[in-house]
Amino acid sequence: MSQRIYSYTELYQFALKVFTSIGCSNEDASLATSVLLSADLRGIDSHGIARLVGYVRLWEVGRINAQPNIQIVHETPSTAVVDGDKGLGLIVAPKAMQIAMQKAKQVGTGWVSVKNSNHFGIAGYHAMMALSEDMIGMAMTNASALVAPTYAAEKMLGTNPIAVAVPAGKEAPFVADFATTTAANGKLEIAQRNNQPIPTGWAQDENGQASNDAHILKKGGALLPLGSEKEQGSHKGYALGSIVDIFSAVLSGASFGPWAPPFPAYVPMPENMPGEGLGHFLGAMRIDAFRPADDFKNNMDLWLNRFRSAKPMQGQEKVFVAGDIERSMEATRMKEGIPLVNDVVKDLEALATKFNLSI
């Protein structure tokens, strides 16, 4: 598959100009661009600049407000519900996380559920915001219904990711960021571009039978929960995805389950939607609300070092901790550039023409 390499700076300047072209303030455009490109840097290509054209299409059909009035509509000392006013999730979620962190500074922990938002990029970015404040960060979001519950032949849940970031002392932090499905939709998109089948256990057809067709979602099929089938523990992935949906959307007043707004602008909105937009759930926990931060980070160093030094299985060089591979990828891509497949380049070139920019 043919690729072109762009520097982080080149893509940053381009995305920034696109976001300002649709009406975002310079501050919001800069934030949205940073969140977006963090995915490309960390190797989560499906959620990076490849999504830029999708956000523009949502704006064009009136589903994204480029100048949202993001506000708290209900709160207690440790909790809040935030109305994103149809803003870019790339902007709404970090601002909600700041609220969670501020509450954690004041009372030890902060929890924010968000409604009336849109796709927020990679969950890990928002969770990692807490690291610099000696806090544990959590982030999750509901998403377009692409996933069939265990034993179901109907799409009811999104890929509904969960991210948890935990600070350490001398060791690099623990950063888990994962979808609650066996494979994220982005992996199907990669298989589609390469004209390759997908592994058994990633998806099923419209009747609930296993499928290796990378295009199966367009034919009425569905992704499978983490675990793939009941015998391999799909009921656990189903439960995790359900928890994300409830915390992010039912708790905030966003639309949930099969009523979650679809990301593609051309897909009709569900009828009788019970809430407003997509929902997120963000949390921050101050370490010293539990024990002295230095003591905790020393123990985290011991934990991380021991797991990273675990004896690898035959044929493997080393054992990784959550976040290690993404951090290594970020260092490489910041230095060597970010590869984009031709289909993504064509989308960016179309945006450049639309807004009279260069790429």
Side-chain angles (χ1 to χ4, degrees):
M1 183 170 54
S2 180
Q3 295 181 329
R4 288 174 60 179
I5 306 295
Y6 292 85
S7 72
Y8 176 83
T9 301
E10 287 175 322
L11 294 180
Y12 184 93
Q13 291 300 323
F14 180 76
L16 182 72
K17 290 174 182 175
V18 170
F19 284 127
T20 55
S21 294
I22 67 172
C24 293
S25 67
N26 289 333
E27 179 183 354
D28 282 355
S30 179
L31 175 58
T33 300
S34 295
V35 178
L36 189 70
L37 291 184
S38 69
D40 293 295
L41 286 176
R42 294 177 69 80
I44 317 299
D45 297 338
S46 60
H47 285 54
I49 199 145
R51 291 268 182 172
L52 186 57
V53 65
Y55 293 125
V56 172
R57 288 170 179 161
L58 289 173
W59 168 76
E60 288 176 327
V61 298
R63 284 178 49 195
I64 282 180
N65 177 6
Q67 297 183 346
N69 177 24
I70 301 167
Q71 57 183 328
I72 296 172
V73 293
H74 180 76
E75 67 177 324
T76 72
S78 62
T79 67
V81 174
V82 166
D83 186 328
D85 194 25
K86 296 171 61 177
L88 280 160
L90 303 170
I91 296 167
V92 177
K95 293 187 176 183
M97 187 59 175
Q98 288 287 0
I99 294 169
M101 291 165 62
Q102 185 60 39
K103 288 182 174 294
K105 288 179 181 179
Q106 295 169 350
V107 297
T109 67
W111 306 96
V112 178
S113 197
V114 179
K115 67 176 180 177
N116 204 9
S117 186
N118 283 281
H119 189 278
F120 78 176
I122 62 167
Y125 179 96
H126 314 299
M128 288 190 292
M129 288 174 62
L131 295 176
S132 63
E133 300 289 344
D134 277 349
M135 297 180 187
I136 294 173
M138 298 178 61
M140 56 188 78
T141 184
N142 75 330
S144 312
L146 299 174
V147 184
T150 302
Y151 297 140
E154 181 182 3
K155 293 189 283 285
M156 297 288 288
L157 290 169
T159 53
N160 293 9
I162 299 171
V164 178
V166 183
K170 296 179 181 178
E171 291 285 324
F174 174 98
V175 181
D177 183 359
F178 58 96
T180 53
T181 48
T182 301
N185 187 37
K187 291 190 176 181
L188 268 70
E189 293 171 349
I190 291 171
Q192 291 168 18
R193 295 188 191 113
N194 292 334
N195 196 29
Q196 295 176 336
I198 57 174
T200 300
W202 282 17
Q204 64 182 32
D205 65 19
E206 61 182 352
N207 298 313
Q209 301 302 305
S211 176
N212 302 109
D213 184 354
H215 300 271
I216 197 64
L217 297 186
K218 300 173 184 176
K219 303 174 183 178
L223 293 175
L224 292 173
L226 186 61
S228 75
E229 295 177 349
K230 180 64 166 64
E231 292 72 18
Q232 281 72 46
S234 71
H235 59 292
K236 299 175 184 178
Y238 171 26
L240 284 171
S242 300
I243 290 168
V244 173
D245 201 40
I246 293 166
F247 281 24
S248 300
V250 180
L251 193 59
S252 68
S255 281
F256 44 81
W259 296 285
F263 181 79
Y266 61 83
V267 176
M269 295 285 273
E271 296 181 359
N272 303 315
M273 295 171 70
E276 298 177 88
L278 284 183
H280 319 311
F281 187 77
L282 303 117
M285 297 186 289
R286 211 173 68 213
I287 298 299
D288 64 5
F290 297 88
R291 63 182 297 203
D294 287 344
D295 291 348
F296 171 84
K297 290 194 290 184
N298 286 338
N299 278 173
M300 273 304 298
D301 280 349
L302 180 62
W303 191 97
L304 290 161
N305 184 62
R306 182 64 186 90
F307 275 79
R308 287 175 175 136
S309 61
K311 180 182 177 180
M313 63 187 295
Q314 188 174 4
Q316 295 296 317
E317 293 185 4
K318 62 183 298 186
V319 175
F320 299 99
V321 167
D324 287 354
I325 294 173
E326 292 84 355
R327 188 177 58 260
S328 176
M329 178 69 75
E330 183 171 0
T332 298
R333 288 189 167 184
M334 187 62 83
K335 179 180 179 181
E336 299 178 3
I338 297 170
L340 301 180
V341 298
N342 279 343
D343 286 348
V344 174
V345 173
K346 289 177 181 177
D347 283 342
L348 298 186
E349 289 173 341
L351 289 177
T353 300
K354 180 186 296 287
F355 296 115
N356 194 26
L357 305 172
S358 58
I359 179 67

